[in-house]
Amino acid sequence: MPVPVILDCDPGHDDAFNILLAAAHPSVQLLAITTVAGNQTVEKTTLNARRVCSVAGIRGVPIAAGRDRPLHGPRRIAENIHGDSGLDGPGFAGEPDVPQDPRGALALLRDTLLAHPTPVTLVPTGPLTNIAALLLAHPELAARIERIVLMGGSTGRGNTTPAAEFNVLCDPEAADIVLRSGLPVTMFGLNVTHQVRATPDVVARIAALGTPLSGLCVDLLTYFASTYREVYGFDAPPLHDPLTVAHLIDPSLFRLARAAVTVELNGTYTRGATVVDLHGVTGLPAETDVGMQVDADGFWQLIVDAVRTLGG
Ligand code: BDR
Ligand code: CA
């Protein structure tokens, strides 16, 4: 049976590939997409989710817009990485032909969780604002959630401050609520997402598919490579978010460790850091599965296959 999934995302170049992977693979049943402010404003991330689905021929998956700012504090976006549109690089022709669901993200999450016959896996790959808001507003829906598989945090250093990763830094209180929810959480942070780099060889394999969708993917990766080179000096950009869905498809590609994970909410220089107790020194219960290692070749094969399957 395929894993029923809701993606909660902020596309975003790497979020876009996660949508493609979830829609393409038969092991995943993509029930809905909700969007959040993160890489860009929620208006832009919602338009981008619709654009990706439109170009990839992903029909019948409702897309609804969620929170436009964090639970507390100012909004932060990642224009330096994802550009003014949030998905710079390719030229998107015209309006997407996939509609926006008028319900809004919280109502779509609630309705989808209640309607599905079995508990659903939530896959957040942006700031955790929508998911925390859902858990606060509807604690009774926790029983309808199988698990949460997210991209965020790090066992080590950050990418937006020296200590904090972007998704967690955007809304530390939301991340704290999710990690302390009591639901099973699997976290893929920078320590493992930096193991999958979109090298020229990977880009060439996608280009060789020769479809309109593969061309769009190449344009996305080329832009992403340029900002990662400028901002971080990386030779090739890490494709963070699709580790989540790749894990659902083939857990054998990953090594995880069970650990206590807390979020720094108050540090002068470390707000938004995930403190991962890999050696059990805090005495806190080890309840989060933390991604440690990924088989990068196996991961990229899934991505190339997804772009091939969707054609375009
Ligand atoms: C995360 O931040 C965003 O820019 C990416 O989409 C990813 O979800 C990496 O820190
Ligand atoms: Ca993201």
Side-chain angles (χ1 to χ4, degrees):
M1 287 291 284
V3 183
V5 159
I6 302 173
L7 297 183
D8 182 68
C9 56
D10 61 340
H13 294 69
D14 50 334
D15 302 81
F17 281 88
N18 209 29
I19 293 173
L20 300 181
L21 188 56
H25 205 280
S27 309
V28 174
Q29 183 185 10
L30 180 54
L31 301 175
I33 299 172
T34 52
T35 56
V36 66
N39 288 324
Q40 260 297 350
T41 64
V42 76
E43 289 77 18
K44 292 183 181 181
T45 60
T46 307
L47 176 62
N48 290 341
R50 293 172 55 220
R51 281 173 162 158
V52 170
C53 288
S54 188
V55 173
I58 301 166
R59 306 269 186 271
V61 178
I63 301 171
R67 295 298 174 107
D68 69 351
R69 57 196 58 253
L71 299 180
H72 300 285
R75 182 176 62 200
R76 174 188 286 276
I77 58 169
E79 188 162 338
N80 60 336
I81 301 295
H82 298 273
D84 177 59
S85 71
L87 213 47
D88 275 13
F92 289 96
E95 272 289 294
D97 61 8
V98 171
Q100 179 174 337
D101 192 295
R103 278 175 286 185
L106 254 54
L108 178 58
L109 280 158
R110 182 196 61 213
D111 292 354
T112 308
L113 290 172
L114 288 174
H116 199 74
T118 58
V120 172
T121 296
L122 301 185
V123 179
T125 59
L128 287 149
T129 320
N130 289 341
I131 307 302
L134 179 80
L135 295 174
L136 291 174
H138 297 290
E140 75 285 0
L141 289 179
R144 308 296 312 152
I145 299 170
E146 175 74 17
R147 59 192 287 219
I148 297 175
V149 179
L150 64 87
M151 190 280 140
S154 173
T155 62
R157 293 174 67 82
N159 60 359
T160 309
T161 69
E165 180 277 335
F166 179 76
N167 288 340
V168 177
L169 181 65
C170 281
D171 198 339
E173 281 74 19
D176 179 54
I177 288 167
V178 168
L179 283 163
R180 291 193 300 107
S181 65
L183 289 163
V185 175
T186 304
M187 161 184 148
F188 292 100
L190 302 175
N191 58 293
V192 64
T193 67
H194 282 190
Q195 296 170 25
V196 293
R197 306 289 181 109
T199 58
D201 170 57
V202 164
V203 178
R205 283 167 63 196
I206 294 174
L209 298 174
T211 63
L213 181 61
S214 76
L216 181 119
C217 290
V218 168
D219 291 346
L220 285 173
L221 292 175
T222 304
Y223 183 86
F224 205 38
S226 72
T227 57
Y228 258 88
R229 195 177 307 116
E230 275 166 34
V231 175
Y232 297 113
F234 281 16
D235 288 342
L239 203 69
H240 311 276
D241 292 340
L243 267 71
T244 54
V245 169
H247 174 67
L248 296 176
I249 294 170
D250 188 355
S252 76
L253 296 176
F254 295 85
R255 183 172 71 78
L256 308 180
R258 175 82 46 108
V261 180
T262 45
V263 180
E264 177 57 77
L265 299 177
N266 296 308
T268 306
Y269 301 108
T270 54
R271 178 168 155 81
T274 46
V275 180
V276 182
D277 182 11
L278 289 172
H279 303 298
V281 296
T282 60
L284 295 168
E287 289 174 336
T288 301
D289 285 317
V290 179
M292 300 299 292
Q293 243 175 12
V294 57
D295 170 350
D297 291 343
F299 170 85
W300 285 114
Q301 193 59 51
L302 288 177
I303 297 291
V304 173
D305 288 346
V307 179
R308 182 188 294 110
T309 300
L310 290 167

